[in-house]
């Protein structure tokens, strides 16, 4: 039992145990598990930053269908200035958005001839360089493709690997999902494919 004047010196659990003559064991913690007591303990620059990306392109015959850097055998392909890879475009915009670094059109304009037919995976690699220059590191990516056809589940792992390789991160930090529009609107009628992505970044 503590005396009344002893209680005035208690500042936390460890001081309570110390004053009551109990054994104290020190356990090594994790550097990421930071103790926050005062507002000044919060390092705002270390916060994880999030971004959202979205893209949509029409489907037409005579064009290749490329998603996540994977060319898929299908009767229709996506139309766009580059290879129209909506998945990779959405990922790029989510990354740039998380870093407040503009959007895909700022860095790779659609009216610039050098990007005509270019691989969007190459643009993703260049985006990785932009992030590195801004001292930012990818934490994870979660993306969803919306397409009525073709069936995309057989290609998702290859898409994930291509995106991970372009960003020099482990594939388990990249998620790619696919769903349909249940026959609704232009995508549901097979006139296009869209994708959306959420990315998180942290200070490198």
């Amino acid at each position: 039992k503590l005396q009344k004047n002893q209680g005035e010196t208690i500042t936390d659990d460890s001081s309570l145990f110390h004053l009551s003559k109990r054994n104290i064991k020190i356990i090594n913690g994790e550097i990421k598990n930071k103790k926050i007591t005062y507002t000044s303990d919060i390092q705002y620059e270390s916060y994880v930053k999030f971004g959202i990306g979205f893209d949509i392109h029409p489907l037409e015959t005579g064009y290749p269908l490329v998603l996540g850097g994977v060319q898929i055998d299908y009767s229709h392909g996506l139309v766009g200035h580059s290879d129209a890879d909506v998945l990779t475009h959405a990922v790029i915009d989510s990354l740039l958005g998380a870093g407040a670094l503009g959007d895909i059109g700022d860095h790779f304009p659609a009216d610039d001839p050098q990007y005509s037919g270019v691989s969007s995976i190459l643009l993703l690699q260049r985006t990785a360089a932009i992030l590195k220059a801004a001292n930012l590191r990818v934490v994870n990516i979660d993306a969803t493709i919306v397409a009525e056809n073709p069936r995309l589940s057989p290609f998702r792992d290859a898409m994930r690997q291509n995106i991970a390789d372009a960003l020099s991160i482990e594939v388990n930090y990249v998620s790619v999902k696919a769903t349909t529009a249940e026959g609704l609107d232009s995508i549901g009628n097979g006139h296009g494919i869209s994708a959306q992505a959420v990315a998180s970044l942290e200070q490198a």
Side-chain angles (χ1 to χ4, degrees):
K1 186 175 180 180
L2 300 177
Q3 298 299 320
K4 183 177 179 180
N5 64 334
Q6 287 181 294
E8 296 174 359
T9 63
I10 296 173
T11 58
D12 56 20
D13 294 348
S14 61
S15 60
L16 175 63
F17 274 81
H18 178 69
L19 289 170
S20 60
K21 308 301 181 184
R22 295 174 182 267
N23 292 328
I24 298 175
K25 182 178 181 181
I26 298 174
I27 300 173
N28 291 329
E30 293 287 339
I31 191 169
K32 290 186 177 181
N33 187 19
K34 297 179 180 179
K35 182 178 184 294
I36 298 176
T37 305
Y38 306 103
T39 303
S40 59
D41 294 329
I42 302 174
Q43 298 180 16
Y44 292 96
E45 71 275 8
S46 66
Y47 276 7
V48 175
K49 309 170 194 299
F50 298 91
I52 301 172
F54 174 82
D55 196 29
I56 184 170
H57 282 279
L59 280 167
E60 291 187 12
T61 57
Y63 291 86
L65 176 59
V66 180
L67 293 169
V70 178
Q71 185 160 335
I72 299 167
D73 186 18
Y74 187 55
S75 59
H76 292 62
L78 293 168
V79 182
H81 183 63
S82 62
D83 60 3
D85 183 342
V86 291
L87 171 59
T88 305
H89 290 182
V91 169
I92 290 172
D93 257 349
S94 68
L95 292 166
L96 293 173
L101 296 168
D103 61 29
I104 190 171
D106 294 328
H107 296 275
F108 316 111
D111 57 358
D112 191 330
Q114 69 174 308
Y115 301 122
S116 177
V118 71
S119 166
S120 295
I121 290 294
L122 175 61
L123 301 184
L124 184 58
Q125 292 172 349
R126 295 184 182 180
T127 302
I130 293 170
L131 297 175
K132 184 176 181 180
N135 199 35
L136 293 168
R137 177 172 52 231
V138 179
V139 176
N140 81 306
I141 293 167
D142 182 24
T144 301
I145 307 167
V146 185
E148 209 66 17
N149 286 296
R151 184 169 175 267
L152 299 176
S153 56
F155 308 102
R156 288 185 303 167
D157 285 344
M159 296 176 192
R160 293 174 61 218
Q161 190 65 63
N162 286 343
I163 292 169
D165 289 346
L167 295 171
S168 299
I169 62 176
E170 296 294 327
V171 71
N172 57 310
Y173 298 132
V174 179
S175 169
V176 173
K177 308 182 300 294
T179 188
T180 71
E182 299 292 341
L184 301 175
D185 297 329
S186 59
I187 292 178
N189 289 317
H191 299 315
I193 294 177
S194 71
Q196 51 191 318
V198 175
S200 57
L201 304 174
E202 64 182 2
Q203 292 295 129

